[in-house]
Amino acid sequence: MLKRELPPVHPGEILREEYIIERNLTITEVASGLGISRTNLSAIVNGHSGISPELSVKLSEAFGNSTQFWINLQKNYDMWHAEKNVDRTSIRHFWNDHDLQSA
């Protein structure tokens, strides 16, 4: 994995800036068009919630891009934070156990 110091942009920010604001849409209008609540969409565009696989299907249909685009944005965001937050020092390395047992 790429070691980046700056976190990737939350996918909700991309949705807000590049797809909602850029098209002069409102949160209410987009939420209604996607069939989700305004509260849920607001949580996503404000970075408090992520984009689910189901929502990625709706977004791809609504904005004409792929579900994989939305899923990759979310995955990259989540993985960057996981890499920063997981303490690896106490994790047992099972791949080393096999090497030690066969020696």
Side-chain angles (χ1 to χ4, degrees):
M1 178 168 177
L2 262 166
K3 298 290 183 191
R4 298 187 299 192
E5 291 304 313
L6 295 175
V9 175
H10 189 278
E13 184 178 337
I14 293 171
L15 174 59
R16 183 183 66 240
E17 298 295 325
E18 302 294 326
Y19 292 89
I20 296 174
I21 293 174
E22 197 63 35
R23 290 168 172 77
N24 295 316
L25 300 170
T26 66
I27 297 295
T28 304
E29 185 178 12
V30 173
S32 175
L34 294 172
I36 65 173
S37 74
R38 185 190 189 293
T39 303
N40 285 348
L41 184 57
S42 183
I44 292 164
V45 299
N46 289 311
H48 302 298
S49 293
I51 293 176
S52 68
E54 293 81 9
L55 183 55
S56 74
V57 172
K58 292 179 179 187
L59 290 169
S60 71
E61 184 65 26
F63 293 108
N65 50 20
S66 71
T67 56
Q68 205 59 43
F69 170 78
W70 296 105
I71 290 298
N72 284 341
L73 288 174
Q74 188 65 54
K75 179 191 68 157
N76 291 340
Y77 181 84
D78 291 343
M79 288 305 302
W80 188 92
H81 286 280
E83 289 283 343
K84 293 292 183 187
N85 294 327
V86 170
D87 177 11
R88 295 172 183 243
T89 59
S90 64
I91 298 172
R92 180 178 167 192
H93 293 161
F94 293 100
W95 49 271
N96 282 338
D97 286 355
H98 176 69
D99 293 339
L100 293 174
Q101 290 173 0
S102 62

